[in-house]
């Protein structure tokens, strides 16, 4: 399992210009079962993604498809971890 910390390196106007393409990227990864959850950081300096992948190389290949990577809008800190205790994701919105 991988925690991905996304850090914007361009102004929010540039981020907003590509946000629809980025959201389409996220949706594709959810459909393929790679992303478990994601969201914006507060304040809005980037985001966080929880990714299910077999290797760091796979995570890097996935992120290479992100418009934020393609257009050099963000950098990623990829943290591998092994979950051993977890709660059901039924109601994390509150």
């Amino acid at each position: 399992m991988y925690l991905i910390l996304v850090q914007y390196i361009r102004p929010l106007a540039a981020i907003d210009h590509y946000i629809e393409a980025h959201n389409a990227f996220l949706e594709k990864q959810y459909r393929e079962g790679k992303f478990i959850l994601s969201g914006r950081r507060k304040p809005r300096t980037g985001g966080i993604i929880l990714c299910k992948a077999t290797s760091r190389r796979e995570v890097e290949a996935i992120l290479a498809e992100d418009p934020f990577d393609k257009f050099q809008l963000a950098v990623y800190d990829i943290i591998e971890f092994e979950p051993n205790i977890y709660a059901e994701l039924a109601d994390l919105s509150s």
Side-chain angles (χ1 to χ4, degrees):
M1 190 78 62
Y2 294 85
L3 179 65
I4 303 164
L5 303 177
V6 183
Q7 180 70 44
Y8 300 148
I9 57 173
R10 299 284 182 251
L12 286 178
I15 301 301
D16 289 340
H17 182 75
Y18 289 97
I19 199 73
E20 285 185 31
H22 172 71
N23 287 338
F25 158 77
L26 292 174
E27 289 173 17
K28 177 184 179 218
Q29 299 310 317
Y30 279 108
R31 281 193 310 272
E32 293 180 3
K34 295 300 177 183
F35 287 177
I36 308 299
L37 61 84
S38 60
R40 290 181 178 171
R41 292 166 71 170
K42 290 187 178 183
R44 191 175 169 210
T45 59
I48 296 176
I49 302 169
L50 186 59
C51 178
K52 181 179 170 186
T54 58
S55 68
R56 182 182 181 93
R57 184 172 292 187
E58 181 183 5
V59 175
E60 291 168 347
I62 290 168
L63 293 176
E65 297 178 24
D66 186 356
F68 287 177
D69 184 64
K70 288 181 180 180
F71 297 103
Q72 301 175 346
L73 302 171
V75 292
Y76 307 89
D77 186 11
I78 303 168
I79 303 165
E80 183 176 8
F81 72 100
E82 188 173 318
N84 55 6
I85 299 174
Y86 64 93
E88 291 296 322
L89 297 178
D91 190 17
L92 292 180
S93 60
S94 52

